[in-house]
């Protein structure tokens, strides 16, 4: 399975990694570090052709402008090994990107995870998973409750993460280029006369 994601920018990634390292120091939780690059996941998928997947994601990125997203609070996916995460608020820009990624990759996917569908997708940044226990939840949440998690994220790329042994690493990153394709404003009108306010 591959993960189709957006990697966080360095400033946001440093903040998240600092929290993750503190959870290792305080509680011994380090399994989330198997993916060293903090990210937002759009889809987990098994794919027929990696080259074709990279091409469609390159095309999506080429026509996408960087945008801002926001986080707030903390969340838990319950279970024997609860996932502790920071929710990313769904916005029009984030929803549109998720839709375009799913639409572009659908013909190439052998299988996808059930949580990446439009109705149940919950964008988030994982802080702890796999090595957590229900008994640890109370102390960990009490510890995290001393901080705030209102972040402004700069979403600027699509990235394919591939599992190598126990690690998930970025196989390919496609920077957004939609802002580079904007037409420059005209400084001259018909017959080469300057437009009002241009002289």
């Amino acid at each position: 399975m591959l993960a189709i994601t957006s990697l966080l920018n360095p400033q946001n990634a440093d903040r998240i990694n600092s929290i993750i390292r503190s959870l290792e120091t305080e509680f011994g939780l380090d399994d989330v570090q198997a993916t060293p690059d903090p990210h937002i996941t759009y889809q987990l998928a098994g794919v027929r052709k990696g080259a074709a997947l990279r091409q469609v994601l390159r095309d999506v990125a080429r026509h996408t402008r960087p945008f801002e997203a926001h986080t707030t609070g903390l969340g838990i996916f319950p279970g024997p090994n609860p996932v502790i995460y920071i929710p990313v608020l769904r916005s029009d820009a984030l929803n549109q990107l998720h839709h375009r990624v799913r639409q572009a990759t659908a013909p190439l996917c052998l299988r996808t995870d059930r949580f990446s569908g439009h109705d149940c997708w919950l964008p988030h940044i994982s802080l702890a998973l796999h090595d957590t226990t229900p008994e640890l939840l109370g102390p960990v949440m009490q510890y995290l409750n001393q901080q705030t998690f209102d972040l402004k994220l700069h979403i600027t790329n699509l990235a394919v993460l591939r599992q190598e042994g126990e690690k998930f690493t970025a196989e390919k990153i496609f920077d957004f280029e939609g802002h580079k394709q904007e037409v420059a404003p005209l400084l001259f009108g018909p017959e080469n006369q300057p437009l009002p306010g241009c002289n």
Side-chain angles (χ1 to χ4, degrees), residues 8 19 33 35-36 44 51 56 66 69 71 91 151 165 175 186:
L8 301 190
I19 297 168
Q33 295 177 45
T35 308
L44 296 174
V56 298
T71 70
S91 62
L151 303 175
D175 291 324
L186 292 174

Side-chain angles (χ1 to χ4, degrees), residues 77-151:
F77 295 130
N81 303 110
V83 177
I84 301 170
Y85 64 89
I86 302 172
V88 180
L89 301 176
R90 287 180 67 161
S91 62
D92 287 343
L94 200 58
N95 284 335
Q96 287 169 15
L97 178 58
H98 178 242
H99 174 74
R100 289 171 61 215
V101 165
R102 283 178 43 80
Q103 192 173 42
T105 60
L108 305 172
C109 293
L110 297 168
R111 63 191 187 282
T112 60
D113 68 301
R114 61 191 176 99
F115 298 111
S116 63
H118 176 76
D119 292 337
C120 55
W121 179 58
L122 179 59
H124 64 278
I125 302 165
S126 297
L127 298 178
L129 71 166
H130 301 318
D131 55 354
T132 56
T133 65
E135 293 73 27
L136 270 177
L137 269 185
V140 171
M141 295 302 281
Q142 187 173 5
Y143 171 78
L144 291 173
N145 193 47
Q146 300 170 47
Q147 308 177 52
T148 58
F149 299 93
D150 299 331
L151 303 175

